[in-house]
Amino acid sequence: MPRTVNQRKHTARRDEFIDAGQRLILTRGFDQFSVEDLLAEVGASKGAFYHYFDSKQALLEAMIDRMVVSAMGVVGQVVEDTGLTAPEKLRAYFRTIARIKAGQREFLLQLMKVWYSDDNAIVRQKLRRGQIERVTPHLAKIVRQGIAEGAFALADPDQMARVVLALILDTGDETGELFMKHQAGEIDFATVWRLFETYELALERLLGVPAGTLDLMDEVTLRTWFE
């Protein structure tokens, strides 16, 4: 008979490896710890690790995926909040994501040191596809509400949600790269803020709302990452 897998125990054991990987990233950095270090941290065999992950990169992907899934559960509550208008929901949606990221700032700062390397190009692409699949339904629902309210001047909610998300993901990608340049002393915060304002203005024009309506990121929050 095939062996029956206890899904709860399977998930809990897998989470132990992810938790240990996050601790090692915080204390050593991703490039500085090995699979052997992880095994020592968990108290497991190499076979146990490869039962759940086929590589260290797969572990990294699992860390990020779990973080994204958790965040989607939180922001999903914003989407379902009947007391908010569509612009308010869009603002709250991305400000909530910003707060979640701020709560994991140290981990994300360590992660960004390796995130833009060529070795992680595939992981970045997988994450982007995953974000599109998970976030597009949320944005489509907000856009659909905005059209019904007369707040957004759009025709196709589902397609426009993907366009909106593409713009937002581009903003995130460029912000991350600017962070690395800022850390190297190549640009100042004012340059970062101007770029963010430009992206936000483009999003407002895309949705057909007055400038200043969305206000997706406040300057204080952005400064916590760059200064």
Side-chain angles (χ1 to χ4, degrees), residues 35-224:
V35 171
E36 286 71 23
D37 294 326
L38 182 72
L39 298 178
E41 182 80 11
V42 177
S45 66
K46 185 173 288 189
F49 172 79
Y50 286 109
H51 175 71
Y52 298 100
F53 310 99
D54 58 18
S55 65
K56 188 179 169 186
Q57 296 299 115
L59 174 67
L60 176 65
E61 184 179 341
M63 291 180 203
I64 297 169
D65 189 65
R66 189 176 69 172
M67 183 173 62
V68 171
V69 169
S70 176
M72 289 301 97
V74 176
V75 295
Q77 297 173 30
V78 174
V79 178
E80 301 302 326
D81 190 337
T82 58
L84 298 176
T85 65
E88 288 170 342
K89 282 186 180 181
L90 201 59
R91 186 184 309 119
Y93 192 90
F94 289 101
R95 288 200 170 202
T96 299
I97 290 176
R99 286 197 299 271
I100 292 171
K101 288 182 176 180
Q104 303 182 64
R105 183 177 182 274
E106 295 307 315
F107 169 68
L108 291 173
L109 288 177
Q110 289 296 330
L111 189 62
M112 288 175 71
K113 294 177 181 179
V114 296
W115 186 240
Y116 294 99
S117 70
D118 291 341
D119 290 340
N120 288 317
I122 294 176
V123 178
R124 291 199 305 274
Q125 188 58 34
K126 283 183 178 180
L127 175 63
R128 189 181 183 91
R129 287 199 300 269
Q131 286 177 308
I132 290 172
E133 291 173 2
R134 289 173 176 134
V135 178
T136 296
H138 283 174
L139 291 183
K141 191 165 187 176
I142 295 174
V143 169
R144 197 173 290 113
Q145 178 184 335
I147 293 172
E149 293 171 347
F152 298 160
L154 301 171
D156 188 328
D158 296 301
Q159 289 302 317
M160 289 309 300
R162 295 182 72 87
V163 175
V164 169
L165 180 56
L167 179 61
I168 290 168
L169 290 177
D170 284 345
T171 306
D173 289 342
E174 187 148 7
T175 300
E177 292 175 5
L178 289 175
F179 172 82
M180 302 305 295
K181 291 181 179 179
H182 184 267
Q183 291 293 97
E186 297 174 8
I187 59 170
D188 58 14
F189 177 78
T191 301
V192 177
W193 182 245
R194 283 197 301 273
L195 179 73
F196 193 89
E197 287 185 314
T198 300
Y199 271 110
E200 191 167 277
L201 180 60
L203 181 57
E204 288 170 335
R205 288 182 176 176
L206 179 64
L207 293 173
V209 299
T213 298
L214 298 182
D215 192 23
L216 301 183
M217 174 71 77
D218 64 275
E219 185 174 349
V220 173
T221 299
L222 197 60
R223 280 187 183 276
T224 64

